[in-house]
Every structure is written in structure tokens, then in C-alpha cells.
Amino acid sequence: VVLLAHGLNLKPSKMDSLAQAFADANFEVMRVAFAGHRGDKIEWNKVKADDWLDDAVAFYMVAQKRAHKLHVPLYLVAYSFGALIYEILQNQITGEAIHFEKKIYFSPGFAGHWWAKIVSNLLIYLPNDFTYPSLNLPDYRANDSTPIMALKAQFELMNLFKKISVKNSEDTLIFIDPDDELVDFEKVKHRTDEVGAWK
């Protein structure tokens, strides 16, 4: 069973081609849709980091139950902040309660570039109801605009990740472009050097 997690303000359906590839290889795929990515604008404008963490646990429980019923392993395939969320859950909040046999991450949102810190500091001066137009391609974005609440939640998760000691032992394969415009390749690579199971 593959649990498939999307990125921030990405339409969950944009993971369907990847889901189909796994389905064609005889995997059963369970695709998630985090709070704010399900068509509810009110939910998106008020989303918090805890909402995403709670969602992730709920999705995991369903997938784990299905894998147990089928007597098969459970894998995680996650993009961007989906990878960030599950890595935090595994290593800080629930420890060994969440386990995947293997994981694949695409551009995991573990660390932003130098300017991310500046953006994070500027957020405290903006009202929580402030939004800005999404910079993602129209066909890919779950919402046309991004609220400050969602950005604050994203940075909260990134700060949580900085503090954890990654101790999960399953194999993790990471795909990331060295020139990724949002994720800092060198910082992610440095973290993979610290964790032997990450490649």
C-alpha cells in the first residue's frame, strides 16, 4: 500500500499520474488531501500546522489498517510539505507509532533558502487575514491565493523539523533538483549525510 501526499497549495489530483504509475505496478494507492486543499476556502484561510499533523495521522491510520488487512508493507511517497509533515510525525510527535517500510520524497520541504527566514520574520507584521496571489501555475494550485495563516503554519513545521533528531531507520529515497527554487538543496543534503537511511 502506498500513502501518497501532496505539497502546499497543490491540487491533490495533480498526484494522480504518480498514483496511476504505482497502481499499474500493482500497488494499492491512498492519496491524501490535507486541510485547505479540499475546496473549502474557509478551511484554507484558517488552517494551522496542527490541522495538517492531525490529518496526516488520520490518513496514516486508514492506510496502515488497509496494509495490515492485506498483509503487505506500507510505503510513503510524499512531495514537498507532505514529506515534511510525515517526517516530523515519525520523529517527534508519535515516534515509533508511525512507521513506513520505505519512503520516497520529492523536493521535501525540510529547509528553505536564505530568504525564507526573512519572509518568516515579516509575517509577524501582517494581519492573519492577509492573503497574496498564488505563484503556482493555475492548473496546479488548489487555491488562487495563499493566506498568511498557511505560510505561518508552513514555517512552524519547518522550525519543528530543525529541532528534531531524525532517528527513523527505514530506507528513504529523495529526489530534489539542486536548483530547486524553494527548497535549499545543500541544507537537505547536509541532513541526509546525518541520516544513513536517507539517500
Side-chain angles (χ1 to χ4, degrees):
V1 174
V2 172
L3 185 63
L4 185 61
H6 62 84
L8 183 65
N9 202 20
L10 177 70
K11 283 182 182 176
S13 62
K14 284 301 175 182
M15 304 295 286
D16 283 353
S17 58
L18 192 53
Q20 189 61 54
F22 281 106
D24 290 344
N26 297 317
F27 289 90
E28 185 165 315
V29 182
M30 305 187 85
R31 192 197 74 200
V32 312
F34 288 107
H37 300 78
R38 303 185 278 240
D40 186 335
K41 300 293 185 185
I42 295 175
E43 182 182 60
W44 177 233
N45 289 329
K46 296 182 177 181
V47 72
K48 296 179 181 176
D50 284 343
D51 297 330
W52 292 331
L53 293 168
D54 289 345
D55 279 348
V57 172
F59 299 141
Y60 170 82
M61 296 302 290
V62 173
Q64 193 275 337
K65 184 177 180 180
R66 181 63 176 164
H68 182 74
K69 181 178 180 179
L70 296 174
H71 303 287
V72 296
L74 176 60
Y75 302 127
L76 173 66
V77 177
Y79 171 61
S80 188
F81 95 133
L84 175 65
I85 289 169
Y86 276 105
E87 205 61 40
I88 291 170
L89 282 175
Q90 283 191 271
N91 292 285
Q92 184 184 32
I93 297 173
T94 56
E96 294 301 317
I98 285 187
H99 174 74
F100 299 96
E101 291 297 321
K102 294 182 184 294
K103 299 179 293 189
I104 299 175
Y105 290 158
F106 295 95
S107 296
F110 298 160
H113 291 287
W114 61 269
W115 47 262
K117 181 67 175 175
I118 297 173
V119 174
S120 177
N121 290 336
L122 288 175
L123 293 181
I124 62 174
Y125 300 105
L126 297 173
N128 284 337
D129 61 352
F130 181 85
T131 63
Y132 67 93
S134 174
L135 301 178
N136 201 354
L137 298 172
D139 194 41
Y140 280 78
R141 60 195 184 211
N143 301 278
D144 293 333
S145 62
T146 301
I148 291 303
M149 291 292 287
L151 272 186
K152 286 182 176 179
Q154 168 75 10
F155 283 120
E156 181 180 341
L157 291 173
M158 291 171 73
N159 287 331
L160 275 175
F161 181 77
K162 288 179 187 176
K163 298 174 184 176
I164 66 175
S165 175
V166 177
K167 56 186 178 293
N168 52 296
S169 59
E170 63 270 16
D171 289 338
T172 303
L173 181 61
I174 296 177
F175 291 92
I176 181 172
D177 185 339
D179 296 322
D180 192 291
E181 68 273 20
L182 296 176
V183 179
D184 189 314
F185 172 80
E186 290 300 330
K187 289 178 183 176
V188 172
K189 186 177 182 302
H190 177 73
R191 204 69 194 267
T192 63
D193 292 340
E194 297 175 341
V195 184
W198 288 2
K199 300 192 185 335

